[in-house]
Amino acid sequence: LLTLDQIHDGTVVRRRRGSVLRLDREGGALVVQLGDRRLRMPSRLEPAMGVIAGRQEFDVGALAAELDERSRLVLVRRLVREGLLEVAVG
C-alpha cells in the first residue's frame, strides 16, 4: 500500500465500501458529513467534493479542473485519513 505522501495525480482512489458522504452548506462553509463525523471545509472545495461524491473511483488528477496540484493532494490525502477514500490496489 502507498503511504499518504506517495499519493500523486496518477494514483487511483475509490470510495471505501459502505462509506457515507453528504455535502451541505453552512454559512460560508462546506460541511462534509462522513457518517459519524463532520468536516468543515472552505466553500471553494465544493466543486471538487461534488466530483468525489459523484464517482466511486477516480485518479487524483481528475480533480485538476477544480483544484491545483497541491490542493488536490492535500484534499485526497485528508479524505484517505478520514476513511472516505482508499487507494485502489489491483
Side-chain angles (χ1 to χ4, degrees), residues 19-89:
S19 65
V20 173
L21 173 60
R22 187 172 137 202
L23 305 177
D24 293 307
R25 301 190 101 214
E26 197 171 276
L30 175 66
V31 176
V32 179
Q33 183 75 38
L34 301 177
D36 62 345
R37 66 191 161 283
R38 295 166 38 118
L39 306 175
R40 287 183 62 85
M41 298 182 174
S43 60
R44 68 178 181 81
L45 294 178
E46 190 168 1
M49 288 303 301
V51 170
I52 293 168
R55 299 187 184 180
Q56 287 299 312
E57 186 171 293
F58 60 93
D59 62 72
V60 176
L63 301 174
E66 286 76 25
L67 298 171
D68 63 37
E69 182 180 16
R70 183 175 182 277
S71 297
R72 60 185 176 262
L73 292 176
V74 168
L75 178 61
V76 169
R77 288 171 180 160
R78 169 105 189 259
L79 294 175
V80 169
R81 274 194 313 274
E82 295 290 346
L84 175 68
L85 299 177
E86 63 186 1
V87 175
V89 179

